[in-house]
Amino acid sequence: MCGIIGYTGVKEAQEIMLDALEILEYRGYDSAGLAVCGRDGCVRIRKCAGRVKDLRLLCEKDGIQGTCGIGHTRWATHGGVSDANAHPHKFGRVTVTHNGIVENYQDLVQRYHLEEKLKSQTDSEVAAAVLDHFYGTDPLAAIRKTVLKLKGTFALSIMFDDIPGVIFAVRNVSPIVIARARSGSMLASDVTVLGQYSREYFVLPEFYVAVLKEDGVELYDMAGETAEPEWQAVNWDVDRSSKGGYPFYMEKEIMEQPQVIRETVIPRIQGGIPDLSEDGIPDGLLADCKRICVVACGTAMHAGLVGKALMQSLVRIHMDVELASEFMYTDVIVDEDTLVIAISQSGETIDTLEAVKHAKKNGAKTLAIVNVRGASVARASDYVIYTNAGPEIAVASTKAYTTQLAVLYLLTGRMAYVRGIFGAEEAKAFAKELMRVPEVMQKVLDRKEEIHYIARSILNAQDVFMMGRGLDHAILLEGSLKLKEISYIHSEAYASGELKHGTIALITEDTPVVAVVTQEKVKSKEFSNIKEVQSRGAGVILFIKETFGPEKEASWENVFTSVFTLPAMEDGFMVMPASAALQLLAYYVSLDKGLDVDKPRNLAKVVTVE
Ligand code: F6R
């Protein structure tokens, strides 16, 4: 949470930072600010509550010229949303931007007698004050002494008044990546923003200090010894970070799914069979584990639930899906026979990261399914499979989710094969159906206007219920999250059989119900459950596998509010076309309500605080 940017070079820092902050805004959008070291050597700050566009207006009226600066877009934790609490924070000779939480900030306030001296309510300003306290003439020594005093997580970018043109950075857990730009050096919270400036970056190792200058970057360990950065190539195209003509990133990212699923799956099919050897996944890992436990949050956790349904039915292996945020506090049993799979788009979700570390301590083998290369969860895990979704900018996850599903299909297929459950022919048939996903999903996307029309029927709803069984329920948990996070309509997904154990009390003619029916084995029970809610007055929007429908579509007209037929795949793969349809439903509700689809209130794309 919170986006950090820094630039020092030969160009105007303010412009570079404003452009970068606009991209980084998905990490938090409560306030924005920047500090620039002017040509006279003075550090000046512009900051305000609100969006980066508000900061841009401020800078247009009263900009700061200079070629070295640090910027920030905030997701408020300590201290409300206000101009004063916006970053950067300047204390004495030190200016900082911070991502993370300094947990012991109140102790530090007392210890360094800061009560009367602070201008904000943030823990971040306290970090600046402690830095200023320790700063004599040696910046590295001051940083070292300060980080030893800070408890919690932090990514700090720092400028000292008397060292113009230089940015220092240090971190614990919260991410910072550093790039050699064509015109100078840059740092950022994630690599998404760096693609247009550089093709080379490195992840700042924890408790190392980076020193960014116009002509290069130096790295020091805590003992003050120089270290060699591990440079890696930026692997994302610049135009993947643009809206590409769509009004919102979310629509663009939904529409990109056939392509990115193809890019995730095709390189991992060898001789017609799912094959993860290029990712360095040994077959023994998949053959020998006795249990699987997924740790993930939000949408990524929902991907895990689909994975669980697949694995249990095809591989017959015990699999649990744990909320990463609960994992450490609920005595989940993991041991050396457990394969812990961490799923994360960003690879920076703090709870998922901590869960991986906890699982490793307990002897489990860990495998990460991550989108962002080199991210913390990937580095902390024994093995990693990257989803090739490219940058996902909209806060609501879409293509990251379906590429996570694609990897889970690959894992399921490979595991069934190496355990002898699938023979070569079955493994090939499974892979063939998986490779059909992009084309089938495209058919749904081509009919997006039909879903747009359906979305209008729930535009004014206060509450929406979603019902399905088995895999359909797993998809609806995600469909429901998507709807509530971007449309602000209260929505709940229920296993259809559970509704009558309480929740059906809430069903009235004012509560539209979305039902998904794609699984032959529960189809008739599902229809009985749909009748139960219809009998209580609810209008039902039905998403149904096309081969399940009555012969004449007209016979549906009086029965359902709307019906969308999903192009057919084998039941186990219907998750994919159904997911795309539910994403579009949520998208159009939000769009037609005139909401900021890509930046829903209170949310941030990357959750780096517990
Ligand atoms: C919802 C959404 C979130 C994330 C969750 C985990 O659309 O995107 O629920 O899935 O915050 O994030 P990652 O996958 O980055 O660990």
Side-chain angles (χ1 to χ4, degrees), residues 296-302 343-350 352 369 377 392 394-398 400 404 478 481-482 485-486 603-607:
C297 297
T299 292
M301 189 274 289
H302 291 155
I343 309 178
S344 176
Q345 186 286 127
S346 62
E348 299 297 347
T349 301
I350 184 90
T352 308
I369 300 175
V377 171
E392 190 180 66
V395 166
S397 186
T398 53
Q404 286 159 358
E478 173 55 13
L481 175 65
K482 220 75 313 168
E485 73 180 318
I486 59 170
L603 295 179
K605 180 88 183 149
V606 188
V607 182

Side-chain angles (χ1 to χ4, degrees), residues 20 32 47 61 93 154 159 217 277 368 371 373 413 439 471 475 563 598:
K47 59 182 187 174
K61 275 192 220 133
R93 294 158 299 161
F154 50 84
M159 296 200 297
V217 181
S277 53
N371 193 36
R373 256 161 224 275
E439 132 208 353
L471 269 177
I475 314 163
V563 176
D598 286 340

Side-chain angles (χ1 to χ4, degrees), residues 39-51:
R39 304 213 190 288
D40 56 0
C42 287
V43 173
R44 293 186 183 81
I45 293 178
R46 301 287 177 269
K47 59 182 187 174
C48 59
R51 298 283 174 95

Side-chain angles (χ1 to χ4, degrees), residues 311-376:
M311 285 280 187
Q312 289 193 164
S313 78
L314 291 174
V315 185
R316 305 296 301 146
I317 185 168
H318 181 98
M319 181 158 167
D320 294 307
V321 178
E322 301 290 341
L323 288 169
S325 53
E326 293 287 307
F327 185 70
M328 267 139 4
Y329 312 110
T330 46
D331 302 320
V332 176
I333 299 164
V334 290
D335 55 22
E336 49 286 349
D337 291 328
T338 313
L339 173 62
V340 168
I341 302 182
I343 309 178
S344 176
Q345 186 286 127
S346 62
E348 299 297 347
T349 301
I350 184 90
D351 291 318
T352 308
L353 181 60
E354 293 303 322
V356 167
K357 291 179 184 166
H358 185 71
K360 278 179 99 169
K361 263 194 218 137
N362 284 280
K365 315 228 173 18
T366 51
L367 163 64
I369 300 175
V370 168
N371 193 36
V372 178
R373 256 161 224 275
S376 304

